[in-house]
Amino acid sequence: MADRFHLFCNLTQALQRVLERLAIVLCQVKLAERSGPPSEPTEEVVSGEETPLTGNNVASEAPINKLERKRQQAREDRKALFDAVRAAHQRGLTKQAIAREFGLAPLTIRRYLQAKDFPERAPRQRRSELDSFRPYLEKRWAEGCHNASQLCRELRQQGYSGKRSRMKEYVQPWRSNSSSPSSRPRRTLPNLRLVALWLTKSPKQRRSDEQRWVDAVTIAHPQVGAAEHLAQQFRQVFNDHDSEALKSWLAKTVASDIPELKGFVAGVERDYDAVVAAVEWHWSNGQVEGQIHRLKLLKRQMYGRSGFELLRRRVLPFRTDVSQRPP
């Protein structure tokens, strides 16, 4: 029997990939102004990364990542050492004395004293597997696709075998040299993972602010509306325990123009009998999932070095011989 919780988790992940593909359109979605009193800030808005980037909380300067801050700090240290060496030479110290004082090589002292200005380091040129895909990346970047995950997925279809982190590092200079945040369209949409979760939730379980965001994104693009409608139909299949409705839902989803949901359907069809059992029966394999989690926890506690007998003694309840029990 398939686990219903994981089925809906996989469906939410599929909807999240739909939103990521349409992020350029959805990032400009805004909520309509309400006539009533403003509601209290929700937990998602206060908690951090889901905070909409609007108004006063947009930084006045371009964000600098940790690597760039480290490079700037290293340059400032080299600049301070350069100024100290030249100041010591102006005080009358010899090159040998300066080298002993600062622990530098005589060649470095000579180069510092002969330079008119602070010698900047030339950027290192590194060869990357992504260099062969650079024309395509420049074309997609110019079209407005700045999502490293989306670009990585597109390049994998063309033969790229590297990691997403390499893609993120490769396009980081383009992101830093792009227009300032004040001239970019301000992002008001919450975290896409949250929005995908709201799309799969039952309308009766959504809060008012969640429902407003669902209405906004479904109106912004027809594929989002179709995906939300299919997600609610999938939920209704489990509520009605109707396996025949599951068949029609699979056929309807395959006929749709949403590739991410087609991938979800392929996963359901590979384990079709187990999914049908989860639809028709009221039983749940939650107890089994809990025991599997407990078994993995015990193996991690012993760093994977335990034998079967020791693991069996820790998993099964302790039993004593009936004849040895006290009266």
Side-chain angles (χ1 to χ4, degrees):
M1 179 179 293
D3 185 44
R4 302 182 186 92
F5 172 78
H6 286 100
L7 282 174
F8 281 96
C9 285
N10 295 338
L11 178 61
T12 303
Q13 292 175 1
L15 289 181
Q16 181 180 350
R17 291 193 292 270
V18 174
L19 299 176
E20 290 175 352
R21 177 167 55 84
L22 305 174
I24 299 177
V25 178
L26 299 179
C27 68
Q28 303 178 10
V29 174
K30 297 182 180 179
L31 292 181
E33 295 293 337
R34 293 187 297 182
S35 57
S39 60
E40 297 182 359
T42 61
E43 181 180 355
E44 291 80 13
V45 174
V46 178
S47 60
E49 63 173 338
E50 293 82 18
T51 305
L53 301 181
T54 58
N56 298 329
N57 54 4
V58 176
S60 59
E61 299 179 356
I64 302 177
N65 57 20
K66 182 185 294 185
L67 180 60
E68 189 64 25
R69 288 197 299 268
K70 186 176 180 180
R71 289 174 178 172
Q72 290 184 1
Q73 183 62 38
R75 182 193 177 278
E76 293 176 0
D77 295 341
R78 294 195 308 271
K79 181 68 166 55
L81 182 60
F82 173 80
D83 295 337
V85 168
R86 295 176 69 92
H89 185 262
Q90 291 178 359
R91 295 199 307 267
L93 294 180
T94 63
K95 296 179 182 179
Q96 290 78 7
I98 297 175
R100 288 193 300 268
E101 179 179 351
F102 294 99
L104 298 175
L107 183 61
T108 304
I109 301 298
R110 186 191 315 166
R111 183 165 55 89
Y112 279 3
L113 296 179
Q114 292 177 354
K116 296 181 179 180
D117 297 319
F118 173 65
E120 298 285 354
R121 287 186 176 178
R124 290 187 294 178
Q125 299 295 333
R126 296 182 178 179
R127 296 184 60 84
S128 173
E129 182 184 356
L130 293 167
D131 290 340
S132 57
F133 302 99
R134 188 180 182 90
Y136 178 80
L137 290 175
E138 291 178 346
K139 173 178 173 295
R140 294 290 290 126
W141 194 271
E143 293 174 353
C145 182
H146 298 175
N147 188 291
S149 299
Q150 176 63 24
L151 292 173
C152 185
R153 285 193 293 268
E154 295 178 6
L155 289 192
R156 289 190 188 280
Q157 300 176 358
Q158 303 181 22
Y160 174 63
S161 58
K163 298 182 179 179
R164 188 190 68 88
S165 58
R166 296 297 183 188
M167 171 69 67
K168 186 176 180 180
E169 294 175 1
Y170 193 82
V171 301
Q172 181 59 38
W174 302 355
R175 201 181 305 278
S176 301
N177 296 332
S178 59
S179 58
S180 60
S182 58
S183 61
R184 298 175 190 168
R186 293 174 178 174
R187 181 179 181 270
T188 59
L189 191 68
N191 186 277
L192 294 181
R193 184 180 301 178
L194 275 178
V195 179
L197 178 62
W198 299 340
L199 291 174
T200 55
K201 287 176 64 173
S202 172
K204 297 180 181 180
Q205 297 177 348
R206 296 171 186 161
R207 299 196 301 268
S208 60
D209 57 329
E210 296 175 355
Q211 185 62 50
R212 292 174 66 211
W213 278 116
V214 169
D215 296 339
V217 297
T218 51
I219 294 174
H221 200 283
Q223 280 196 1
V224 181
E228 190 270 341
H229 183 65
L230 290 172
Q232 296 305 320
Q233 288 183 343
F234 186 75
R235 178 177 292 276
Q236 191 62 36
V237 167
F238 284 86
N239 293 337
D240 298 339
H241 303 284
D242 190 355
S243 58
E244 294 298 326
L246 177 63
K247 293 182 180 178
S248 61
W249 183 88
L250 293 175
K252 185 185 301 183
T253 307
V254 170
S256 67
D257 57 346
I258 307 175
E260 293 82 3
L261 290 183
K262 292 181 181 180
F264 173 73
V265 169
V268 172
E269 291 177 343
R270 284 194 298 268
D271 203 14
Y272 182 75
D273 293 337
V275 176
V276 170
V279 171
E280 294 179 346
W281 295 89
H282 68 280
W283 300 102
S284 172
N285 66 338
Q287 181 63 238
V288 177
E289 293 291 337
Q291 294 297 336
I292 293 174
H293 178 76
R294 174 169 169 259
L295 179 62
K296 290 180 178 179
L297 179 62
L298 292 174
K299 292 178 67 176
R300 292 191 183 101
Q301 288 177 345
M302 295 182 285
Y303 299 95
R305 299 180 180 179
S306 62
F308 178 77
E309 290 299 327
L310 177 59
L311 190 61
R312 182 175 183 271
R313 288 179 178 273
R314 294 199 63 183
V315 172
L316 297 180
F318 179 75
R319 297 180 181 179
T320 58
D321 191 358
V322 179
S323 59
Q324 297 180 358
R325 290 182 180 177

